[in-house]
Amino acid sequence: MDIFDAISQRSSVRAYKATDVEEDKLRKILEAARLSPSASNRQDWKFIIVRNKETKKKLARAAFGQSFIGEAPIVIVACGTEPKTFMACGQPAYTVDVSIAFTHMILQAYELGLGTCWIGAFEEDEVKKILNIPKEVRVVAMTPLGYPNQPPSQKFRKSLNEIVCYEKYE
Ligand SMILES: Cc1cc2nc3c(=O)[nH]c(=O)nc-3n(C[C@H](O)[C@H](O)[C@H](O)COP(=O)(O)O)c2cc1C
């Protein structure tokens, strides 16, 4: 699949079939994360694969009851392991690095016919408790992963005119 096709056709999936995700597909999605760029190539990240039904339900509750999270066969939880590392520009590296890797995973999943939904609304402390994540590690995002049980949704986006300017900020 063409990269632009994946970017333009992917949409968030909030209903999943019970069908399992094949191991080779999961592996390819994880490889997409592993091969992602990161600041100074630090790769300070960890991706937790959750298949346990009870754990998935707990994660859905920690995400303010977004129950579709628990319905997917897999939930992936993405963590930054060195949150005290800052780039020279002043941004923390982990939010940028983990988000790049997560985006690659989501696009790779789409290419394999699998659905995802970036979940940013969750209680981090709860998620950490459920998954035994150390205190110093930060949870950046999670996503359900599975075969979509809904048609693709329409994209609503600002126009290029609204988001691009040339030569200086306007
Ligand atoms: C950082 C981030 C956090 C998000 N958090 C949630 C969330 O907690 N629950 C949810 O259903 N969707 C969440 N989304 C999905 C967005 O609502 C969705 O990407 C956006 O509306 C555009 O729709 P699309 O993904 O279908 O193109 C999140 C997306 C991003 C990038």
Side-chain angles (χ1 to χ4, degrees), residues 10-12 14 66 68 117-121 153-155 157:
R10 179 218 56 85
S11 61
S12 294
R14 298 185 179 89
Q66 299 185 79
F68 63 89
C117 182
W118 191 305
I119 301 294
S153 47
Q154 218 191 320
K155 267 198 197 313
R157 294 293 192 267

Side-chain angles (χ1 to χ4, degrees), residues 58-70:
K58 285 181 191 166
L59 290 174
R61 280 200 290 274
F64 304 100
Q66 299 185 79
S67 55
F68 63 89
I69 297 169

Side-chain angles (χ1 to χ4, degrees), residues 38-56:
S38 58
S40 305
N41 202 21
R42 286 176 185 274
Q43 306 163 65
D44 291 329
W45 46 38
K46 186 82 96 176
F47 302 94
I48 306 170
I49 310 306
V50 180
R51 292 184 195 271
N52 181 278
K53 260 196 184 127
E54 275 314 305
T55 311
K56 286 185 297 179

